[in-house]
Amino acid sequence: MRVILDCDPGIDDTYAIIFLTAAAQAGLIELDCVTTTSGNAPADQCARNAAWVLGLCGLPIIPLAAGVPEPLEVDLTTTPETHGDTGLGYATAPERHVEHDWDALWIDSIARGTDDLHLIVTGPLTSLAAFAHTHPEHFAKLKHITVMGGAVHYPGNTTPSAEWNFWVDPHAAADVFALTPTPITLCSLGVTEKMVLKPEALAELVDRLGGSPVAEHLEAITRFYFEFHQDVGEGYQAQIHDLLTVLIALDLVDYQSTETTVAVEADSELMRGTSVADLRGIWEREPNACLVTEADVEAAWERFGWACDVHAKVAAGDAEIEELRHLRADD
Ligand code: BDR
Ligand code: CA
C-alpha cells in the first residue's frame, strides 16, 4: 500500500505523521509524499512543521511540498488558539526552504498506479479541490481517498454545525464531494472526537518512543492541545482526530461505515462548512461517501503504541523491526 498524506500539522496531524513514518519504517506502507494545506497554520508553516517531524521520525527524505496557500473563495483563517502560534503547540520547527510542487508529487504518485494508492487528507480540502479542477484526469484515477472533516448530523467544533477543516474552506469541501467519482471515506467529528489522549497515556507513549528524537518534543507539542481542550470545557485531554483517520484509511482498526451522499454548504454565512448526509436517499444521487459511523478507538491507541515501539527500535538501530510488521486489524 502506498500513501499520500495531505495535512496541516497541526498537533493531531503530527500524530498521524508519527504513525505513518513508523509504518513506512516497518515496511507496512510506502509513504510516497507529504503535502500541506493551509488550515491550522499557513501551508508553508505546516510544511516546515511536517519536515521537522519527518526528520525527528527518521524519514527526512520523504518528498514534501506546501499546497495551495489560500482557500478557494474565502479568506484564510488559521487557529493559533488551538494549535499554537507555530501550529505545533509549544514547539517550534526550524526555518527551512519549502518546495511548492505539490501537484507534481501527486501526479508522479498517481502515475505509479492507483490500485494501492491511498490519499489521506487531514486538513482543509483546498488542494484536493484545486487538483480536481486543474487535473481532472488525474483526480478521476484516485480510487482510495480518506478525509478527516465534517460534523455530519453532529455538533460542530467551529460553529454550532461546522467542523474546522470543512469550515476553513467550505467551497473546497463542497467541490470535492460534488466532483469525486469514487466514494470518499469520511471520518467526521462524531467518530474522531472519541480518539482522546490523556496526560498519563501520553507519558507512557513518550516512554515507549525511547531514544527516538520525536520523544523529546511530543510533550511540548501536545501540552498546548490539552490546555486548549480544557479551555473549551472538554477537560485536560486532547482529541487526536487525524491519527484515527489514518488508521481507518489503512484499515488497521475495525470500523463501521455506511455508503451515502454527502454535501457541504459553502455560501451561507450561518451554515458555512456544514455537512449533511442523505441517509434516507431522498436526493436519489449516487453515493459519494463512505461515512464512518464507529471505530475501535482502543485498538487505534494500541496501533499507535506499536508505532512508538518501531520508532524506539529504529532509534536504537535494532534490526528486529521485521517482527513488528505483522500488524493487521484482526491481530
Ligand atoms: C480537525 O481540525 C484540525 O484542527 C485538526 O487538525 C483536525 O484535522 C478537527 O476538526
Ligand atoms: Ca488536521
Side-chain angles (χ1 to χ4, degrees), residues 8-14 39-40 79 82-83 121-124 148-150 157-158 162-166 168 189 192-193 225 228 239-243 245:
D8 61 338
I11 295 170
D12 53 330
D13 303 78
T14 296
N40 294 326
T79 183
T82 310
H83 292 264
V121 185
T122 62
M148 188 286 130
N157 61 0
T158 305
E163 178 277 336
W164 173 256
N165 288 339
F166 282 13
V168 168
L189 215 52
T192 63
E193 271 194 357
Y225 217 25
F228 162 75
Q239 297 159 353
I240 313 292
H241 313 271
D242 297 341
L243 171 61
T245 301

mmCIF file of all heavy atoms in Angstrom, residues 8-14 39-40 79 82-83 121-124 148-150 157-158 162-166 168 189 192-193 225 228 239-243 245, ligand 1:
data_model
loop_
_atom_site.group_PDB
_atom_site.id
_atom_site.type_symbol
_atom_site.label_atom_id
_atom_site.label_comp_id
_atom_site.label_asym_id
_atom_site.label_seq_id
_atom_site.Cartn_x
_atom_site.Cartn_y
_atom_site.Cartn_z
ATOM 1 N N ASP A 8 -2.185 19.422 7.708
ATOM 2 C CA ASP A 8 -1.887 20.798 8.151
ATOM 3 C C ASP A 8 -1.330 20.765 9.579
ATOM 4 O O ASP A 8 -1.941 21.292 10.496
ATOM 5 C CB ASP A 8 -3.133 21.698 8.045
ATOM 6 C CG ASP A 8 -4.300 21.244 8.910
ATOM 7 O OD1 ASP A 8 -4.355 20.042 9.275
ATOM 8 O OD2 ASP A 8 -5.156 22.087 9.237
ATOM 9 N N PRO A 9 -0.145 20.129 9.766
ATOM 10 C CA PRO A 9 0.358 19.972 11.132
ATOM 11 C C PRO A 9 0.680 21.292 11.802
ATOM 12 O O PRO A 9 1.470 22.062 11.299
ATOM 13 C CB PRO A 9 1.645 19.138 10.939
ATOM 14 C CG PRO A 9 2.004 19.247 9.502
ATOM 15 C CD PRO A 9 0.753 19.618 8.750
ATOM 16 N N GLY A 10 0.001 21.516 12.904
ATOM 17 C CA GLY A 10 -1.094 20.738 13.491
ATOM 18 C C GLY A 10 -0.620 19.622 14.435
ATOM 19 O O GLY A 10 0.255 18.842 14.108
ATOM 20 N N ILE A 11 -1.257 19.657 15.633
ATOM 21 C CA ILE A 11 -0.834 18.743 16.685
ATOM 22 C C ILE A 11 -1.315 17.328 16.396
ATOM 23 O O ILE A 11 -0.521 16.373 16.429
ATOM 24 C CB ILE A 11 -1.306 19.268 18.065
ATOM 25 C CG1 ILE A 11 -0.588 20.597 18.367
ATOM 26 C CG2 ILE A 11 -1.034 18.238 19.162
ATOM 27 C CD1 ILE A 11 -1.092 21.370 19.553
ATOM 28 N N ASP A 12 -2.592 17.147 16.067
ATOM 29 C CA ASP A 12 -3.053 15.774 15.814
ATOM 30 C C ASP A 12 -2.549 15.260 14.473
ATOM 31 O O ASP A 12 -2.326 14.049 14.310
ATOM 32 C CB ASP A 12 -4.587 15.652 15.926
ATOM 33 C CG ASP A 12 -5.341 16.634 15.071
ATOM 34 O OD1 ASP A 12 -4.835 17.740 14.810
ATOM 35 O OD2 ASP A 12 -6.463 16.296 14.641
ATOM 36 N N ASP A 13 -2.286 16.162 13.501
ATOM 37 C CA ASP A 13 -1.630 15.750 12.255
ATOM 38 C C ASP A 13 -0.239 15.167 12.567
ATOM 39 O O ASP A 13 0.224 14.255 11.875
ATOM 40 C CB ASP A 13 -1.433 16.942 11.318
ATOM 41 C CG ASP A 13 -2.730 17.657 10.989
ATOM 42 O OD1 ASP A 13 -3.203 18.428 11.846
ATOM 43 O OD2 ASP A 13 -3.268 17.456 9.908
ATOM 44 N N THR A 14 0.425 15.732 13.569
ATOM 45 C CA THR A 14 1.758 15.239 13.939
ATOM 46 C C THR A 14 1.680 13.770 14.357
ATOM 47 O O THR A 14 2.544 12.958 13.997
ATOM 48 C CB THR A 14 2.322 16.108 15.079
ATOM 49 O OG1 THR A 14 2.487 17.433 14.566
ATOM 50 C CG2 THR A 14 3.643 15.582 15.595
ATOM 51 N N GLY A 39 -4.501 25.615 7.099
ATOM 52 C CA GLY A 39 -5.620 25.309 7.990
ATOM 53 C C GLY A 39 -5.227 25.686 9.405
ATOM 54 O O GLY A 39 -5.359 26.840 9.818
ATOM 55 N N ASN A 40 -4.655 24.728 10.124
ATOM 56 C CA ASN A 40 -4.213 25.044 11.478
ATOM 57 C C ASN A 40 -3.189 26.184 11.462
ATOM 58 O O ASN A 40 -3.111 26.986 12.382
ATOM 59 C CB ASN A 40 -3.620 23.797 12.139
ATOM 60 C CG ASN A 40 -4.673 22.731 12.364
ATOM 61 O OD1 ASN A 40 -5.825 23.043 12.644
ATOM 62 N ND2 ASN A 40 -4.297 21.470 12.249
ATOM 63 N N THR A 79 -5.607 28.779 13.193
ATOM 64 C CA THR A 79 -6.107 28.580 14.554
ATOM 65 C C THR A 79 -4.997 28.502 15.609
ATOM 66 O O THR A 79 -4.785 27.462 16.224
ATOM 67 C CB THR A 79 -7.063 27.359 14.588
ATOM 68 O OG1 THR A 79 -7.577 27.241 15.907
ATOM 69 C CG2 THR A 79 -6.395 26.060 14.195
ATOM 70 N N THR A 82 -5.765 27.021 19.044
ATOM 71 C CA THR A 82 -5.921 25.571 19.200
ATOM 72 C C THR A 82 -4.589 24.840 19.082
ATOM 73 O O THR A 82 -4.322 23.889 19.824
ATOM 74 C CB THR A 82 -6.879 25.020 18.104
ATOM 75 O OG1 THR A 82 -8.047 25.817 18.090
ATOM 76 C CG2 THR A 82 -7.247 23.574 18.368
ATOM 77 N N HIS A 83 -3.768 25.267 18.105
ATOM 78 C CA HIS A 83 -2.533 24.521 17.808
ATOM 79 C C HIS A 83 -1.267 25.334 18.100
ATOM 80 O O HIS A 83 -0.162 24.879 17.776
ATOM 81 C CB HIS A 83 -2.543 24.066 16.344
ATOM 82 C CG HIS A 83 -3.584 23.021 16.056
ATOM 83 N ND1 HIS A 83 -3.317 21.665 16.051
ATOM 84 C CD2 HIS A 83 -4.906 23.128 15.811
ATOM 85 C CE1 HIS A 83 -4.430 20.994 15.786
ATOM 86 N NE2 HIS A 83 -5.412 21.856 15.642
ATOM 87 N N VAL A 121 -6.388 12.913 3.581
ATOM 88 C CA VAL A 121 -6.396 14.369 3.791
ATOM 89 C C VAL A 121 -6.830 14.645 5.231
ATOM 90 O O VAL A 121 -7.958 14.310 5.617
ATOM 91 C CB VAL A 121 -7.342 15.087 2.811
ATOM 92 C CG1 VAL A 121 -7.218 16.603 2.976
ATOM 93 C CG2 VAL A 121 -7.030 14.684 1.364
ATOM 94 N N THR A 122 -5.938 15.278 5.988
ATOM 95 C CA THR A 122 -6.263 15.581 7.387
ATOM 96 C C THR A 122 -6.304 17.088 7.643
ATOM 97 O O THR A 122 -6.182 17.523 8.790
ATOM 98 C CB THR A 122 -5.258 14.902 8.355
ATOM 99 O OG1 THR A 122 -3.957 15.426 8.082
ATOM 100 C CG2 THR A 122 -5.263 13.398 8.206
ATOM 101 N N GLY A 123 -6.453 17.838 6.588
ATOM 102 C CA GLY A 123 -6.606 19.292 6.711
ATOM 103 C C GLY A 123 -7.737 19.731 5.797
ATOM 104 O O GLY A 123 -8.454 18.898 5.228
ATOM 105 N N PRO A 124 -7.902 21.045 5.605
ATOM 106 C CA PRO A 124 -8.908 21.519 4.654
ATOM 107 C C PRO A 124 -8.682 20.914 3.260
ATOM 108 O O PRO A 124 -7.564 20.529 2.900
ATOM 109 C CB PRO A 124 -8.699 23.032 4.673
ATOM 110 C CG PRO A 124 -8.175 23.296 6.052
ATOM 111 C CD PRO A 124 -7.269 22.133 6.362
ATOM 112 N N MET A 148 -10.466 13.544 6.881
ATOM 113 C CA MET A 148 -10.965 13.926 8.199
ATOM 114 C C MET A 148 -11.682 15.247 8.017
ATOM 115 O O MET A 148 -11.068 16.252 7.620
ATOM 116 C CB MET A 148 -9.797 14.119 9.195
ATOM 117 C CG MET A 148 -10.225 14.328 10.647
ATOM 118 S SD MET A 148 -10.916 15.916 10.988
ATOM 119 C CE MET A 148 -12.419 15.492 11.821
ATOM 120 N N GLY A 149 -12.978 15.245 8.294
ATOM 121 C CA GLY A 149 -13.691 16.505 8.189
ATOM 122 C C GLY A 149 -15.177 16.328 8.368
ATOM 123 O O GLY A 149 -15.714 15.233 8.283
ATOM 124 N N GLY A 150 -15.807 17.441 8.634
ATOM 125 C CA GLY A 150 -17.259 17.451 8.743
ATOM 126 C C GLY A 150 -17.760 17.043 10.117
ATOM 127 O O GLY A 150 -17.081 16.338 10.873
ATOM 128 N N ASN A 157 -17.332 21.873 15.798
ATOM 129 C CA ASN A 157 -16.342 22.367 16.764
ATOM 130 C C ASN A 157 -15.863 23.784 16.395
ATOM 131 O O ASN A 157 -14.998 24.334 17.060
ATOM 132 C CB ASN A 157 -15.154 21.401 16.894
ATOM 133 C CG ASN A 157 -14.388 21.214 15.588
ATOM 134 O OD1 ASN A 157 -14.729 21.796 14.563
ATOM 135 N ND2 ASN A 157 -13.355 20.378 15.631
ATOM 136 N N THR A 158 -16.462 24.347 15.338
ATOM 137 C CA THR A 158 -16.052 25.684 14.898
ATOM 138 C C THR A 158 -17.247 26.628 14.893
ATOM 139 O O THR A 158 -17.158 27.764 15.336
ATOM 140 C CB THR A 158 -15.403 25.589 13.503
ATOM 141 O OG1 THR A 158 -14.324 24.637 13.573
ATOM 142 C CG2 THR A 158 -14.869 26.920 13.041
ATOM 143 N N ALA A 162 -20.586 23.296 12.091
ATOM 144 C CA ALA A 162 -19.460 23.034 11.185
ATOM 145 C C ALA A 162 -18.193 22.609 11.916
ATOM 146 O O ALA A 162 -17.857 23.149 12.970
ATOM 147 C CB ALA A 162 -19.161 24.266 10.335
ATOM 148 N N GLU A 163 -17.512 21.689 11.293
ATOM 149 C CA GLU A 163 -16.195 21.217 11.759
ATOM 150 C C GLU A 163 -15.115 22.085 11.102
ATOM 151 O O GLU A 163 -15.309 22.599 9.994
ATOM 152 C CB GLU A 163 -16.066 19.731 11.356
ATOM 153 C CG GLU A 163 -14.751 19.070 11.709
ATOM 154 C CD GLU A 163 -13.655 19.323 10.701
ATOM 155 O OE1 GLU A 163 -13.982 19.603 9.527
ATOM 156 O OE2 GLU A 163 -12.473 19.284 11.087
ATOM 157 N N TRP A 164 -13.946 22.177 11.748
ATOM 158 C CA TRP A 164 -12.896 23.102 11.322
ATOM 159 C C TRP A 164 -12.439 22.902 9.872
ATOM 160 O O TRP A 164 -12.414 23.841 9.076
ATOM 161 C CB TRP A 164 -11.698 22.983 12.282
ATOM 162 C CG TRP A 164 -10.499 23.759 11.844
ATOM 163 C CD1 TRP A 164 -9.362 23.268 11.275
ATOM 164 C CD2 TRP A 164 -10.326 25.185 11.897
ATOM 165 N NE1 TRP A 164 -8.493 24.291 10.981
ATOM 166 C CE2 TRP A 164 -9.065 25.471 11.360
ATOM 167 C CE3 TRP A 164 -11.127 26.243 12.365
ATOM 168 C CZ2 TRP A 164 -8.568 26.769 11.260
ATOM 169 C CZ3 TRP A 164 -10.628 27.541 12.267
ATOM 170 C CH2 TRP A 164 -9.362 27.782 11.724
ATOM 171 N N ASN A 165 -12.040 21.697 9.482
ATOM 172 C CA ASN A 165 -11.461 21.504 8.145
ATOM 173 C C ASN A 165 -12.446 21.920 7.042
ATOM 174 O O ASN A 165 -12.039 22.481 6.023
ATOM 175 C CB ASN A 165 -11.048 20.042 7.925
ATOM 176 C CG ASN A 165 -9.813 19.666 8.721
ATOM 177 O OD1 ASN A 165 -9.043 20.526 9.131
ATOM 178 N ND2 ASN A 165 -9.623 18.374 8.946
ATOM 179 N N PHE A 166 -13.718 21.618 7.233
ATOM 180 C CA PHE A 166 -14.715 21.990 6.221
ATOM 181 C C PHE A 166 -15.033 23.483 6.297
ATOM 182 O O PHE A 166 -15.314 24.110 5.290
ATOM 183 C CB PHE A 166 -16.001 21.175 6.396
ATOM 184 C CG PHE A 166 -15.919 19.758 5.854
ATOM 185 C CD1 PHE A 166 -14.706 19.175 5.506
ATOM 186 C CD2 PHE A 166 -17.080 19.001 5.694
ATOM 187 C CE1 PHE A 166 -14.635 17.873 5.008
ATOM 188 C CE2 PHE A 166 -17.025 17.696 5.197
ATOM 189 C CZ PHE A 166 -15.806 17.129 4.853
ATOM 190 N N VAL A 168 -12.956 25.956 7.193
ATOM 191 C CA VAL A 168 -11.865 26.795 6.672
ATOM 192 C C VAL A 168 -12.020 27.003 5.171
ATOM 193 O O VAL A 168 -11.853 28.109 4.671
ATOM 194 C CB VAL A 168 -10.485 26.150 6.968
ATOM 195 C CG1 VAL A 168 -9.371 26.853 6.191
ATOM 196 C CG2 VAL A 168 -10.188 26.196 8.447
ATOM 197 N N LEU A 189 -16.382 14.327 12.776
ATOM 198 C CA LEU A 189 -16.168 14.639 14.184
ATOM 199 C C LEU A 189 -16.832 13.662 15.164
ATOM 200 O O LEU A 189 -16.258 13.347 16.210
ATOM 201 C CB LEU A 189 -16.725 16.044 14.422
ATOM 202 C CG LEU A 189 -16.027 16.946 15.397
ATOM 203 C CD1 LEU A 189 -14.557 17.056 15.100
ATOM 204 C CD2 LEU A 189 -16.691 18.322 15.347
ATOM 205 N N THR A 192 -14.203 10.903 15.240
ATOM 206 C CA THR A 192 -12.807 11.239 15.578
ATOM 207 C C THR A 192 -12.680 11.883 16.962
ATOM 208 O O THR A 192 -11.624 11.783 17.589
ATOM 209 C CB THR A 192 -12.187 12.177 14.517
ATOM 210 O OG1 THR A 192 -12.911 13.417 14.501
ATOM 211 C CG2 THR A 192 -12.204 11.545 13.136
ATOM 212 N N GLU A 193 -13.751 12.532 17.438
ATOM 213 C CA GLU A 193 -13.689 13.132 18.777
ATOM 214 C C GLU A 193 -13.491 12.085 19.870
ATOM 215 O O GLU A 193 -13.123 12.432 20.995
ATOM 216 C CB GLU A 193 -15.000 13.880 19.078
ATOM 217 C CG GLU A 193 -14.988 15.307 18.640
ATOM 218 C CD GLU A 193 -16.127 16.126 19.220
ATOM 219 O OE1 GLU A 193 -16.987 15.575 19.940
ATOM 220 O OE2 GLU A 193 -16.161 17.322 18.946
ATOM 221 N N TYR A 225 -2.343 21.461 23.339
ATOM 222 C CA TYR A 225 -3.648 20.904 22.911
ATOM 223 C C TYR A 225 -4.486 20.484 24.127
ATOM 224 O O TYR A 225 -5.703 20.664 24.140
ATOM 225 C CB TYR A 225 -3.355 19.694 22.020
ATOM 226 C CG TYR A 225 -4.266 19.467 20.835
ATOM 227 C CD1 TYR A 225 -4.980 20.493 20.219
ATOM 228 C CD2 TYR A 225 -4.399 18.183 20.301
ATOM 229 C CE1 TYR A 225 -5.782 20.245 19.116
ATOM 230 C CE2 TYR A 225 -5.193 17.919 19.196
ATOM 231 C CZ TYR A 225 -5.885 18.957 18.614
ATOM 232 O OH TYR A 225 -6.678 18.703 17.524
ATOM 233 N N PHE A 228 -5.851 23.717 25.441
ATOM 234 C CA PHE A 228 -6.947 24.224 24.604
ATOM 235 C C PHE A 228 -8.243 23.463 24.920
ATOM 236 O O PHE A 228 -9.307 24.065 25.122
ATOM 237 C CB PHE A 228 -6.611 24.077 23.110
ATOM 238 C CG PHE A 228 -7.829 24.158 22.242
ATOM 239 C CD1 PHE A 228 -8.451 25.384 22.009
ATOM 240 C CD2 PHE A 228 -8.407 23.008 21.709
ATOM 241 C CE1 PHE A 228 -9.608 25.458 21.237
ATOM 242 C CE2 PHE A 228 -9.564 23.072 20.940
ATOM 243 C CZ PHE A 228 -10.173 24.298 20.706
ATOM 244 N N GLN A 239 -8.252 15.576 21.630
ATOM 245 C CA GLN A 239 -8.849 14.716 20.594
ATOM 246 C C GLN A 239 -7.859 14.613 19.433
ATOM 247 O O GLN A 239 -7.492 15.627 18.840
ATOM 248 C CB GLN A 239 -10.172 15.325 20.118
ATOM 249 C CG GLN A 239 -11.197 15.402 21.235
ATOM 250 C CD GLN A 239 -12.292 16.416 20.966
ATOM 251 O OE1 GLN A 239 -12.247 17.172 19.995
ATOM 252 N NE2 GLN A 239 -13.277 16.445 21.845
ATOM 253 N N ILE A 240 -7.479 13.375 19.107
ATOM 254 C CA ILE A 240 -6.424 13.180 18.103
ATOM 255 C C ILE A 240 -7.079 12.671 16.813
ATOM 256 O O ILE A 240 -6.834 11.538 16.352
ATOM 257 C CB ILE A 240 -5.314 12.239 18.662
ATOM 258 C CG1 ILE A 240 -4.891 12.666 20.075
ATOM 259 C CG2 ILE A 240 -4.107 12.233 17.741
ATOM 260 C CD1 ILE A 240 -4.156 14.003 20.160
ATOM 261 N N HIS A 241 -7.904 13.543 16.236
ATOM 262 C CA HIS A 241 -8.723 13.208 15.058
ATOM 263 C C HIS A 241 -7.929 12.567 13.917
ATOM 264 O O HIS A 241 -8.348 11.568 13.326
ATOM 265 C CB HIS A 241 -9.353 14.483 14.489
ATOM 266 C CG HIS A 241 -9.989 15.369 15.500
ATOM 267 N ND1 HIS A 241 -11.299 15.241 15.865
ATOM 268 C CD2 HIS A 241 -9.501 16.402 16.232
ATOM 269 C CE1 HIS A 241 -11.599 16.167 16.769
ATOM 270 N NE2 HIS A 241 -10.524 16.881 17.006
ATOM 271 N N ASP A 242 -6.802 13.206 13.584
ATOM 272 C CA ASP A 242 -6.119 12.840 12.337
ATOM 273 C C ASP A 242 -5.423 11.488 12.429
ATOM 274 O O ASP A 242 -5.288 10.792 11.414
ATOM 275 C CB ASP A 242 -5.119 13.941 11.962
ATOM 276 C CG ASP A 242 -5.823 15.257 11.685
ATOM 277 O OD1 ASP A 242 -7.044 15.247 11.438
ATOM 278 O OD2 ASP A 242 -5.152 16.312 11.732
ATOM 279 N N LEU A 243 -5.003 11.110 13.620
ATOM 280 C CA LEU A 243 -4.409 9.782 13.797
ATOM 281 C C LEU A 243 -5.454 8.703 13.549
ATOM 282 O O LEU A 243 -5.203 7.726 12.831
ATOM 283 C CB LEU A 243 -3.833 9.665 15.214
ATOM 284 C CG LEU A 243 -3.376 8.268 15.625
ATOM 285 C CD1 LEU A 243 -2.259 7.769 14.717
ATOM 286 C CD2 LEU A 243 -2.915 8.269 17.091
ATOM 287 N N THR A 245 -8.042 8.898 11.758
ATOM 288 C CA THR A 245 -8.349 8.936 10.321
ATOM 289 C C THR A 245 -7.352 8.100 9.521
ATOM 290 O O THR A 245 -7.731 7.317 8.638
ATOM 291 C CB THR A 245 -8.333 10.406 9.836
ATOM 292 O OG1 THR A 245 -9.319 11.116 10.590
ATOM 293 C CG2 THR A 245 -8.614 10.519 8.356
HETATM 294 C C1 BDR B 1 -9.582 18.930 12.548
HETATM 295 O O1 BDR B 1 -9.263 20.311 12.626
HETATM 296 C C2 BDR B 1 -7.908 20.482 12.947
HETATM 297 O O2 BDR B 1 -7.726 21.449 13.943
HETATM 298 C C3 BDR B 1 -7.369 19.136 13.352
HETATM 299 O O3 BDR B 1 -6.022 19.010 12.925
HETATM 300 C C4 BDR B 1 -8.282 18.156 12.658
HETATM 301 O O4 BDR B 1 -7.807 17.831 11.364
HETATM 302 C C5 BDR B 1 -10.579 18.604 13.612
HETATM 303 O O5 BDR B 1 -11.736 19.389 13.458
#
